[in-house]
Amino acid sequence: MEHPSTPTPGRLRTTPSWLLTQTAAHAGRLVTAALSPHHARGYHYRLLATLAETGPASQADLGRHSGIDRSDIVATLNDLADRHLVRRQPDPTDRRRNIVHITPTGRRELSNLQHALDTAQDTLLAPLNPADRRELVRLLDLLLTHHTQPEG
Amino acid sequence: MEHPSTPTPGRLRTTPSWLLTQTAAHAGRLVTAALSPHHARGYHYRLLATLAETGPASQADLGRHSGIDRSDIVATLNDLADRHLVRRQPDPTDRRRNIVHITPTGRRELSNLQHALDTAQDTLLAPLNPADRRELVRLLDLLLTHHTQPEG
DNA sequence: AACCAACGTTGGCACAACCAACGTTGGCAC
DNA sequence: GTGCCAACGTTGGTTGTGCCAACGTTGGTT
């Protein structure tokens, strides 16, 4: 008895939210696979990348820029600080805040992660030509902008 | 008024995997919100929808068609069976298998869920015109097909 | 001085996605 | 037929992401 291996029929296959979550799951697998040799997860990369672009910032700002919850920032930053990729430092002008710096080691590690991730992006987008890739990024960016705007 | 609310700078913003996971997160929120009044989660809908399209099927087949793990099928099916949306029945020709049927009640509930989800899709795709929506579906489908093919 | 807002932190929760293992059953090679 | 392996349903975990509530501390406003 063979199921002709019929994977997923029509209704789900044209449901945008399902397509998004499924492709995101594949993307997540690739990202996890790319980062795990470096003992890093998505949050680690996202924080390092944000930090490298914004420069030193408070944890709350890092959260806003990276879209990670304040409470998750704490744990991730603990990991990064333990590995000396990041330094926490009290803000002299506002004692509620920590100013978080990326260290030279952190920058090197970020560049490693970036390289691994670039490869993963290529694997992810393999079936798409350059124009289609740009189009996908454009459409996703439109969605994201719209759904971040209303109250952001 | 310092931080001009600068949400997410350039690097992440053009990283396909990040765009995908973020938009998928938004989609997931909308789906959850749409289903929760019906006391259902994504798995419940996906299983009912798959069942309605394939007709009665074994749990393993349901898993293959919907992309849900066998073990998660069990728990989800328990929920659905408790609410009489689905019926489990031993396969007379293969005693390892259950044949799962969707009940009339299940069909009605599926139609409710479908309606709620259709609305959610519209909210999700609000910033996209019809052509862009088709394009997005096309591109995501390409990705999904490619990453399901290799060993499926 | 009294408030309220923002900050970092702790500890929790939900959900999707997996994985290993088990006993049962079917199919196939020998 | 016997022996072996594959597939099935099921149980009981684990992980990563995205949340939320609450607390004590600090800053800004009134």
Side-chain angles (χ1 to χ4, degrees):
Chain A
M1 220 21 106
E2 41 282 284
H3 349 260
S5 184
T6 327
T8 319
R11 203 197 242 105
L12 284 180
R13 203 74 197 207
T14 57
T15 303
S17 66
W18 186 83
L19 286 168
L20 271 174
T21 52
Q22 291 303 300
T23 49
H26 281 283
R29 272 187 289 270
L30 290 172
V31 166
T32 298
L35 295 183
S36 76
H38 303 273
H39 309 100
R41 291 167 297 142
Y43 277 9
H44 295 130
Y45 167 75
R46 282 161 65 179
L47 234 45
L48 283 179
T50 304
L51 214 39
E53 288 194 350
T54 67
S58 73
Q59 300 183 192
D61 278 351
L62 286 177
R64 280 185 283 267
H65 289 341
S66 62
I68 302 178
D69 191 87
R70 305 210 303 286
S71 61
D72 298 318
I73 296 273
V74 175
T76 309
L77 239 36
N78 287 343
D79 294 346
L80 295 174
D82 286 350
R83 299 174 55 197
H84 304 101
L85 306 179
V86 132
R87 234 175 46 241
R88 256 192 276 231
Q89 191 175 340
D91 185 337
T93 79
D94 186 341
R95 282 182 305 179
R96 294 172 303 178
R97 293 184 181 165
N98 292 331
I99 299 181
V100 183
H101 299 256
I102 188 170
T103 66
T105 313
R107 249 175 236 284
R108 273 196 304 276
E109 184 64 3
L110 172 58
S111 138
N112 292 338
L113 300 183
Q114 188 65 55
H115 180 265
L117 275 188
D118 287 347
T119 307
Q121 302 301 314
D122 235 61
T123 305
L124 174 65
L125 300 182
L128 268 45
N129 63 39
D132 279 349
R133 297 182 185 200
R134 280 192 302 273
E135 184 68 358
L136 179 63
V137 169
R138 181 182 76 85
L139 295 171
L140 292 178
D141 189 56
L142 271 176
L143 287 186
L144 203 52
T145 300
H146 174 83
H147 288 283
T148 313
Q149 209 73 292
E151 274 319 336
Chain B
M1 296 298 127
E2 291 3 275
H3 352 259
S5 182
T6 327
T8 318
R11 203 199 242 102
L12 285 179
R13 202 76 196 205
T14 57
T15 304
S17 66
W18 187 81
L19 285 169
L20 271 174
T21 53
Q22 289 305 299
T23 50
H26 281 283
R29 271 188 290 271
L30 289 172
V31 166
T32 298
L35 294 182
S36 75
H38 303 273
H39 309 102
R41 291 168 296 142
Y43 277 9
H44 294 131
Y45 167 75
R46 281 161 67 178
L47 234 44
L48 283 179
T50 304
L51 213 38
E53 288 194 352
T54 66
S58 72
Q59 301 184 191
D61 278 351
L62 286 177
R64 280 184 283 267
H65 289 340
S66 62
I68 301 179
D69 191 87
R70 302 210 304 284
S71 61
D72 298 319
I73 297 272
V74 176
T76 309
L77 238 36
N78 287 343
D79 294 346
L80 294 175
D82 285 350
R83 298 174 56 195
H84 305 100
L85 306 179
V86 133
R87 236 176 42 242
R88 256 191 277 229
Q89 191 175 338
D91 185 338
T93 78
D94 186 340
R95 283 181 305 179
R96 293 172 302 177
R97 294 184 181 166
N98 291 333
I99 299 181
V100 184
H101 299 257
I102 187 170
T103 66
T105 312
R107 250 175 235 283
R108 273 196 304 277
E109 185 63 4
L110 172 57
S111 138
N112 292 337
L113 300 183
Q114 187 66 56
H115 181 265
L117 276 188
D118 287 347
T119 306
Q121 302 302 314
D122 236 62
T123 305
L124 174 64
L125 300 181
L128 269 46
N129 63 40
D132 279 349
R133 296 183 186 198
R134 280 192 302 272
E135 184 70 358
L136 179 64
V137 169
R138 181 181 76 85
L139 294 172
L140 292 177
D141 189 58
L142 271 175
L143 286 186
L144 204 52
T145 301
H146 174 84
H147 289 283
T148 313
Q149 208 73 294
E151 275 322 333

